[in-house]
Amino acid sequence: MPELMAIALFLCLCLALMLGYPVAFTLGGISLLFAGAGVLMGLFDPSFFGALPSRLFGTMNNQTLLAVPLFVFMGVMLEKSRVAEKLLESMSQLFGGLRGGLAFSVLLVGALLAASTGIVGATVVTLGLLALPTMLRRGYDPALATGTLAATGTLGQIIPPSIILVLLGDVLSNAYQQAQLRMGIFSPETVTVGDLFIGSLLPGLILVGLYLLYLIVVALWQPDKMPALPAHERGQVSVVRLLGSLLPPLLLIAAVLGSILAGIATPTEAAAVGAIGAMLLALLNGQLSVARLREVSRATAEISAMVFMILIGASIFSLVFRGFGGEDMIHSLFQQLPGGAFTAMLLVMLVIFLLGFILDFIEITFVVVPIVGPVLLMMGIDPIWLGVMIALNLQTSFLTPPFGFALFYLRGVTPTEVPTSAIYRGVLPFIGIQILMLVIVALWPALVTWLPSRL
């Protein structure tokens, strides 16, 4: 009977989220209702709530999660500092003479923004406002243009610094400690956000290469979908202007990621460096003022408050789910699956992919990963590889209709003459590429584990 309550809790939670109720309060509220019903029915031990205050205090006192508002601040500030606009203009001059040159420029600028901001919404909206009107005016196929913009914007999910990698790092760190305790191992080693940043670097770069390869193939086989810019629109390529556009974000990337890779700074400290660097870039571009600082700070506070409220609600959910014996039920189920760890991992990846059609990546991270993470780690799966696989899988949730957030962001800045169906068609090849990347990383785990082992 308690296991049935755990299943009903999960199903009711998914149903309420699909109906559009606020995530944080839905997570906490439904969990408390089920816990109350469980106490009345004698199926839930109320002493579990004794651990709740320390859990919540631990969440708010977590130094790792301090990186979230700092990276958000960096991303929002860069969005306002016109870095993307200058980059796109320079790249368009450089590649505009090629078939598909505009799409190549969007992809490369998006990759640089992903390594600078880590915020999908800001990247998609910025690129959509800057590049989409020109692409449509120059005769680009609407589906291809919107698909490229949406997929490029999601690179911020896997290329560090990424907010999802920060959240996954914290969740997997807790899951790793639980797995070790349940196996009777007391090792000081754990998985960190820095490990996930380093492990995701090569897969992120390979994914950019696969996107670029797809665009090159389309440009060669269907050139009418990606015409070159006429000479009078390209202008002369200025080396000084190109370097002036490229150097600031590259220096910021080097400061943030370089300090982590070199072991000089933790991700939290690197996030602080990035926040200061973003303010300096805004100052150099004449975009820093008291009003702008107030605007960015307000947006940062809103996004950070949302993330932490969801995290608090998820803590209540995981506590109640464990109280009903849900974690033991999942562990027993995975142990009975034929094929062991391989089948369990395949099942988890499939569930996360399907949930991505209806739930946000934050909800999946805080609801699903704490449930399956300890069990998978107890089966001997490498925590860094697991984290990067989940991040790659969650990246598809931004593109999969009907609730792909990148699709919503892009729809908001797309002209009305471009139908929503064109956006959906455009992202399908990129979803296929992301699934292919998942298969590649599954077959060659060293793509994730090699660099962290060397550093």
Side-chain angles (χ1 to χ4, degrees), residues 109-344:
V109 171
L112 285 171
L113 289 179
S116 304
T117 66
I119 299 179
V120 172
T123 306
V124 172
V125 170
T126 302
L127 290 178
L129 288 171
L130 294 177
L132 187 57
T134 305
M135 296 174 84
L136 295 176
R137 190 171 64 249
R138 296 317 314 163
Y140 270 66
D141 177 67
L144 182 66
T146 53
T148 301
L149 287 165
T152 299
T154 65
L155 290 172
Q157 283 285 93
I158 192 61
I159 297 178
S162 163
I163 301 299
I164 184 60
L165 291 176
V166 176
L167 301 177
L168 269 175
D170 183 67
V171 172
L172 284 176
S173 176
N174 293 330
Y176 189 63
Q177 291 171 3
Q178 289 177 32
Q180 287 187 317
L181 288 173
R182 293 182 68 169
M183 292 188 296
I185 301 172
F186 301 96
S187 170
E189 294 184 7
T190 185
V191 59
T192 66
V193 174
D195 293 330
L196 292 185
F197 277 10
I198 298 167
S200 65
L201 205 52
L202 285 179
L205 294 175
I206 293 171
L207 186 61
V208 174
L210 290 176
Y211 282 178
L212 187 59
L213 182 63
Y214 166 71
L215 292 176
I216 291 172
V217 170
V218 173
L220 292 175
W221 286 92
Q222 297 177 303
D224 56 308
K225 288 188 174 183
M226 307 169 71
L229 283 177
H232 68 274
E233 284 197 23
R234 295 198 303 269
Q236 294 295 319
V237 179
S238 169
V239 177
V240 174
R241 184 174 181 181
L242 183 61
L243 289 176
S245 302
L246 278 173
L247 278 179
L250 287 177
L251 288 174
L252 184 62
I253 293 167
V256 175
L257 294 184
S259 60
I260 297 173
L261 296 177
I264 300 171
T266 65
T268 303
E269 293 163 347
V273 172
I276 296 296
M279 291 176 66
L280 290 175
L281 288 186
L283 181 63
L284 290 173
N285 288 331
Q287 299 295 315
L288 187 63
S289 63
V290 174
R292 178 57 48 80
L293 195 58
R294 186 184 297 115
E295 178 186 2
V296 172
S297 299
R298 181 182 293 274
T300 301
E302 290 175 355
I303 295 171
S304 301
M306 175 198 72
V307 171
F308 278 89
M309 281 303 300
I310 293 174
L311 183 51
I312 289 172
S315 296
I316 300 172
F317 165 79
S318 62
L319 189 71
V320 175
F321 188 81
R322 186 174 292 114
F324 280 123
E327 195 171 278
D328 294 329
M329 178 184 63
I330 297 293
H331 184 258
S332 175
L333 173 65
F334 281 5
Q335 291 288 351
Q336 294 172 12
L337 287 173
F342 171 80
T343 309

Side-chain angles (χ1 to χ4, degrees), residues 64-65 67-68 71-72 114 117-120 154-172 192-193 196-197 200 307 352 360-367 369 387-398:
T64 302
L65 292 177
V68 172
F71 277 133
V72 170
T117 66
I119 299 179
V120 172
T154 65
L155 290 172
Q157 283 285 93
I158 192 61
I159 297 178
S162 163
I163 301 299
I164 184 60
L165 291 176
V166 176
L167 301 177
L168 269 175
D170 183 67
V171 172
L172 284 176
T192 66
V193 174
L196 292 185
F197 277 10
S200 65
V307 171
I352 289 176
D360 182 26
F361 75 98
I362 299 179
E363 299 156 21
I364 297 173
T365 301
F366 289 154
V367 174
V369 179
V388 174
M389 285 287 288
I390 292 174
L392 280 169
N393 202 340
L394 288 174
Q395 187 180 350
T396 63
S397 69
F398 272 89

